Amino acid sequence: MKLLRQFTIILLISLAGELLRMLLPLPVPASVYGLVLLLAGLCSGLIQLAQVRQAALFLIEIMPVMFIPAAAGLVDVWPDLKPIVWPVVITVLATTVLVMAVTGRVTQRVIRAGKEKQQ
C-alpha cells in the first residue's frame, strides 16, 4: 500500500505538470514541469523524501525498459533515417560526451561546496 501511495503522489505531480503545460504558452515539456514541481516540493518540505523514495527508486530501476518502444520505433523510420544516420550518430555521441562532462563538473562543484559548508 505504501508503494501505491508514493506512486500516486508522483502521478499527481505529473498531472500537475501536464496541466501547467496546457496552461502556459511555453515550449516546455510536461515532464520538465513535473520534475520542477517535485523538486520545489522536496526543497520546500511540502513533500518529504520518504513519501516518494521507494516508488522513485522502482521507476529508476525499470527506466531502461521504457526505451524499448522508442528503439522499436526506429525500425519504422529507418528508411527516412538511413541517409542521415552518420550525422545523427556523430551528433548524439558529441552531445552525450558534452552532457556527461558538464554533469560531472557540476556534480564536483556541488560536492565541494557541500564539503566546504560542513567545515
Side-chain angles (χ1 to χ4, degrees):
M1 201 63 157
K2 182 179 178 182
L3 190 61
L4 184 60
R5 187 179 316 119
Q6 291 181 10
F7 191 65
T8 301
I9 292 170
I10 292 172
L11 283 179
L12 289 173
I13 292 170
S14 296
L15 175 65
E18 287 288 342
L19 294 173
L20 277 176
R21 184 191 58 80
M22 287 188 259
L23 294 173
L24 299 176
L26 300 172
V28 178
S31 59
V32 173
Y33 283 127
L35 287 172
V36 170
L37 288 173
L38 182 59
L39 177 64
L42 288 168
C43 288
S44 69
L46 187 63
I47 301 169
Q48 299 297 318
L49 183 59
Q51 292 177 306
V52 293
R53 182 180 178 85
Q54 194 175 4
L57 290 173
F58 171 74
L59 291 170
I60 289 170
E61 284 179 19
I62 66 165
M63 190 183 340
V65 175
M66 302 304 172
F67 289 102
I68 293 172
L74 288 176
V75 173
D76 289 336
V77 297
W78 178 249
D80 297 329
L81 188 61
K82 191 175 180 180
I84 59 167
V85 72
W86 288 114
V88 169
V89 167
I90 291 168
T91 303
V92 167
L93 290 175
T95 56
T96 299
V97 169
L98 179 65
V99 167
M100 289 173 68
V102 170
T103 302
R105 290 290 185 184
V106 169
T107 303
Q108 286 176 342
R109 286 186 182 175
V110 168
I111 291 171
R112 286 184 190 135
K115 285 180 181 177
E116 290 173 3
K117 198 174 190 179
Q118 288 177 351
Q119 294 176 355

